[in-house]
Amino acid sequence: MSGRKKKRTLKREITLLTMATSFGALVLFGTVMIVMFFVFFLGNIREDMENILQNTLQNYQSKMQFIQDGAVMIRHNSTLQDFFDADWTDRAEMEKQLSYSMELFSNRNMTEGQSPFVTSVCLFNKKDEYVREHYYPMTVSAGRNKEIGYLEMMRDFRQTEERYQMTSGADEINLCFRVYGDGMEELGICVLGIAKEGIRDIFAQIGTYSHGNWIVSDQQKNILISAGAEQTAGELNHLELNDVGEKRIAGIRTLYASMGTGFGTCAAVSVGMDNIYVILKPTMVTFFAVVFLALIFIGAMMLGISFRFTRPLKTLADNLEAFGKKDLDVRMEDSSISEIHEISVIFNEMAERIQYLIEQVYEKQLLAARSQTKYLQAQINPHFQFNILAMFSIRARLAGDEELYRGLQAFSGLMRGKIFREKEIRIPVSQEMELVDFYLYLQKSRFEDQLSYEIEYGSEDVKNFRIPRLLIENLVENAVSHGIEPKSGGGMVRIRLFEQDDMLHIVVEDNGVGYEERAEDLEIDLEEETEHTHTGLANMKRLLEILYHDRYCMKITGEKNVGTRAEIILPAERGSVYVESSSS
């Protein structure tokens, strides 16, 4: 006895297994949640960062669009047309119209930092006469110096063939563009002063991020204004227009965006990828803390549940050990725990019936053996019949009667599908349609020109779906027997199979005698003995309810002297063939 290996207790095994399983499941769940959390929030934060970059560029673009709108207003201002024609005398009125057209003092000209975007505008006609307007009041000498500077810019620009041109100054970017009439004739030139302070206000948010950089450049890739490292600005200046993505710029992984902003200018912004992790860090720390505390709490709870659950198991093990001996009179004692009490009651009832069950099992084995014998005997006659059919079909072919040969082959195939495959619950559509072809061929041979049919597949993939055996064949048989056969003259049976929204649609239509729909046709009485048509449909409905529960639809509609339409909708399945157990 001293050399006998000590067995571990059931209580210890269950406790260890429960703890290990719970801890493993919790760790796996926590890991999956962390990964999902990280991927989800990382993607969202990155998308938010990209939206910030694009919104900043769109904000700048909207200011440039504000200038374009002003140019259109100038072009269509009838009062300013007199200025362009050099037929004017009232400077105050012209400058008023210029200010009105450019909306210099409107909210559209203001940035979020309440700085004006356009600070000065000067309009020249072909005689170098000009009218101007400034956002900020100026002394006479300062205004005169600015106007002289604009005049020189205008004359230099007039010598070129460009439609617009931008130059960078100390405090502003100067934009020169030509004003055209309705016939695209040049009316004059407009010179604008765009405040660099206003541009910095627009891009101010970019500067709050780590490695935040931005530039504005002209059509010749000359940088007009920028913020950030010089090397980064140079690489931003060579990005493709209207692009958003991630790349390494100046040795740093960055998110970037670029956009064409009008008048030949483009703007580009970038921020370091480390901003994403900085934003994500507080949320991740909080999440990890919650997960860690949840793991501790659930582990402690599972430990307590394990101990509480295993406490009565020792008593249960003793009772089971006693019952395992040949004395079947042993009974389990009652327990204060509801679940153990129920086990005791059920076990005691089972012990009382054990002798009866032994006798019943013996009798069922005898019945099963007899049923199997009858089934095998039932197979003998069909085998003999098919051999005879095969012999007749061979003789028909040797005699040159091809039609009789094909008819016998079709009949043999139809019967083989109905009898020898009776244990197969579901078969592929392609195999079911072989039986339908056999049946229709025989009926067409019988009725000759009175019957025609067509089969349509929504796709080749439909042939691979699995459906209950003889489902379509029964529908077609009903259509021929009760629709086409009673009709005088020719008849058509049309079979369509197609997939829609992961459901297989089976439609069998005929243009036979039809029937007059009644309320009782819609609900088939499965308990009463009815005519053959309803019996077949009732059996079919029972089968569909057993196989698919409420996941199928069966519709039968008709109109007298017009025809009948039967449609069955099933889940599209490609599983293996289901075969009924041989012991059933």
Side-chain angles (χ1 to χ4, degrees), residues 280-326:
L280 187 61
K281 183 178 179 180
T283 306
M284 289 184 63
V285 170
T286 303
F287 179 79
F288 284 138
V290 171
V291 170
F292 180 72
L293 292 176
L295 286 173
I296 295 176
F297 173 76
I298 295 175
M301 185 176 64
M302 292 303 298
L303 181 61
I305 291 174
S306 174
F307 277 108
R308 181 70 180 88
F309 175 74
T310 58
R311 187 175 300 168
L313 291 183
K314 182 63 171 63
T315 303
L316 179 61
D318 293 339
N319 291 333
L320 289 175
E321 183 180 0
F323 182 76
K325 298 179 180 180
K326 293 183 179 180

Side-chain angles (χ1 to χ4, degrees), residues 2 82 95 148 150 256 280 299 309 315 325 428 463 505:
S2 60
D82 294 337
E95 291 181 345
I148 293 173
Y150 283 174
Y256 70 89
L280 187 61
F309 175 74
T315 303
K325 298 179 180 180
K463 296 180 180 180
H505 292 247

Side-chain angles (χ1 to χ4, degrees), residues 17-126:
L17 181 61
T18 304
M19 290 298 299
T21 304
S22 301
F23 183 76
L26 288 172
V27 170
L28 178 61
F29 175 76
T31 302
V32 171
M33 288 299 296
I34 290 171
V35 172
M36 292 179 61
F37 171 86
F38 184 79
V39 171
F40 174 77
F41 278 95
L42 184 64
N44 281 355
I45 293 175
R46 173 174 175 151
E47 185 177 345
D48 291 342
M49 291 295 297
E50 290 177 350
N51 287 337
I52 290 173
L53 299 183
Q54 289 182 304
N55 289 338
T56 301
L57 293 177
Q58 289 171 358
N59 191 11
Y60 177 74
Q61 185 188 44
S62 69
K63 296 304 179 185
M64 297 301 292
Q65 181 63 45
F66 159 71
I67 297 176
Q68 292 178 346
D69 294 343
V72 173
M73 291 290 292
I74 290 174
R75 173 181 176 180
H76 294 290
N77 191 302
S78 58
T79 304
L80 291 178
Q81 185 64 43
D82 294 337
F83 167 75
F84 288 125
D85 294 337
D87 183 17
W88 65 288
T89 56
D90 191 346
R91 174 176 294 277
E93 178 61 25
M94 293 300 170
E95 291 181 345
K96 177 182 177 182
Q97 291 298 321
L98 176 61
S99 177
Y100 169 77
S101 298
M102 284 303 303
E103 299 183 86
L104 196 61
F105 299 97
S106 69
N107 289 332
R108 291 187 65 192
N109 190 36
M110 303 301 294
T111 66
E112 292 185 1
Q114 295 303 307
S115 297
F117 187 69
V118 177
T119 57
S120 300
V121 56
C122 193
L123 189 63
F124 295 88
N125 60 21
K126 290 185 178 181

Side-chain angles (χ1 to χ4, degrees), residues 139-190:
T139 62
V140 175
S141 60
R144 181 60 181 167
N145 291 336
K146 183 176 286 289
E147 291 160 8
I148 293 173
Y150 283 174
L151 182 61
E152 292 177 354
M153 291 180 199
M154 181 274 297
R155 287 173 177 170
D156 292 340
F157 176 62
R158 181 173 287 170
Q159 301 303 317
T160 68
E161 296 182 357
E162 302 291 339
R163 294 177 59 190
Y164 36 74
Q165 176 179 289
M166 298 190 77
T167 57
S168 179
D171 298 321
E172 62 183 15
I173 296 175
N174 299 306
L175 168 62
C176 300
F177 61 88
R178 303 180 191 277
V179 180
Y180 295 97
D182 293 336
M184 294 307 294
E185 73 281 1
E186 183 177 337
L187 300 177
I189 295 175
C190 185

